[in-house]
Amino acid sequence: MKVLVNCEYSGRVREAFRKLGHDAWSCDLIESEDNSPHHIIGDAIEVAYDQPWDLMIAHPPCTYMTNSGVCWLHKDPTRWAKLDDAAEFFKKLWNAPIPKKVLENPIMHKYARERVGVNKSQVIQPWMFGHMEQKATCLWLRGVEPLKPTNIVKAEMMKLTHAERNRLHYLSPGPDRWKERSRTYQGIADAMAAQWGAV
């Protein structure tokens, strides 16, 4: 299967599919952190529309659409135009001519949901896939089944402190904070490859 992992610099999802024998490629505007030759530096929309893909898993930027940042829309009027651009980018990926599609984003605020116009298919958590952390992630699915949990560790996770199980929320500010927060959990990447790559 030819797989495109769009807006991914880490290579985690791409490599999970490649380990199972798929022709998987990642694409982002920056270089891949693993320096893989199977990474395209370029425009995610162009790559999605210009080549034949069987499956696309995309992680479009969420800065202006996530519910956690909705208050900034009312504090900074310039963010509304950026929200419009982000929603348009999301819709172009969703409408790409690829039979199987998965888009990933945090929980969206109502203004983003109105602009995107497509309801999420499911919400997953890292603790469903063996990671003792919580970070709600929404998936929009077309042509694939909902992702099934592989290793539920919620009970063990709840024994941790609030800060420990919400590690990504409490990361120190810095230029690379966004990278750590956007990196797909390995357990989720492996589940995507095993379940959607087997179809």
Side-chain angles (χ1 to χ4, degrees):
M1 186 162 61
K2 191 169 182 182
V3 181
L4 172 63
V5 187
N6 242 333
C7 312
E8 182 191 53
Y9 79 93
S10 72
R12 276 194 180 169
V13 178
R14 179 233 306 138
E15 288 306 302
F17 276 89
R18 293 195 70 82
K19 285 177 184 175
L20 297 183
H22 296 286
D23 183 17
W25 294 76
S26 54
C27 174
D28 207 333
L29 292 173
I30 61 174
E31 293 182 0
S32 176
E33 70 177 1
D34 65 356
N35 296 312
S36 171
H38 303 104
H39 178 73
I40 302 166
I41 300 174
D43 184 287
I45 303 298
E46 289 182 7
V47 174
Y49 279 76
D50 291 347
Q51 297 185 38
W53 303 98
D54 299 305
L55 166 67
M56 176 182 69
I57 299 171
H59 310 274
C62 63
T63 303
Y64 303 104
M65 299 201 295
T66 180
N67 193 52
S68 62
V70 68
C71 64
W72 292 103
L73 285 170
H74 303 290
K75 296 177 182 178
D76 180 0
T78 66
R79 292 176 73 96
W80 287 96
K82 294 173 181 176
L83 165 60
D84 290 337
D85 290 343
E88 188 62 27
F89 185 79
F90 186 101
K91 288 192 293 185
K92 285 180 178 177
L93 288 174
W94 182 248
N95 292 320
I98 302 170
K100 298 174 182 178
K101 287 188 284 269
V102 178
L103 270 67
E104 173 273 334
N105 240 233
I107 295 173
M108 291 182 179
H109 54 66
K110 66 177 183 178
Y111 308 108
R113 293 197 305 270
E114 289 169 358
R115 286 160 173 77
V116 166
V118 184
N119 291 326
K120 64 183 178 294
S121 304
Q122 72 174 129
V123 180
I124 60 172
Q125 290 275 0
W127 52 259
M128 297 174 172
F129 303 90
H131 298 276
M132 305 250 284
E133 296 183 36
Q134 53 192 29
K135 180 179 183 277
T137 301
C138 302
L139 300 178
W140 285 255
L141 309 174
R142 179 177 285 170
V144 297
E145 293 296 315
L147 203 60
K148 297 179 181 68
T150 56
N151 182 18
I152 298 175
V153 294
K154 185 177 183 180
E156 295 93 324
M157 179 198 71
M158 293 306 293
K159 297 174 184 176
L160 301 175
T161 66
H162 179 79
E164 287 174 320
R165 62 179 185 262
N166 291 280
R167 177 185 64 88
L168 292 181
H169 180 74
Y170 291 102
L171 285 176
S172 300
D176 292 329
R177 184 176 190 263
W178 70 271
K179 284 187 174 182
E180 183 62 24
R181 287 179 55 83
S182 67
R183 190 178 286 115
T184 302
Y185 287 87
Q186 190 64 57
I188 295 176
D190 292 342
M192 288 176 169
Q195 295 177 36
W196 297 332
V199 177

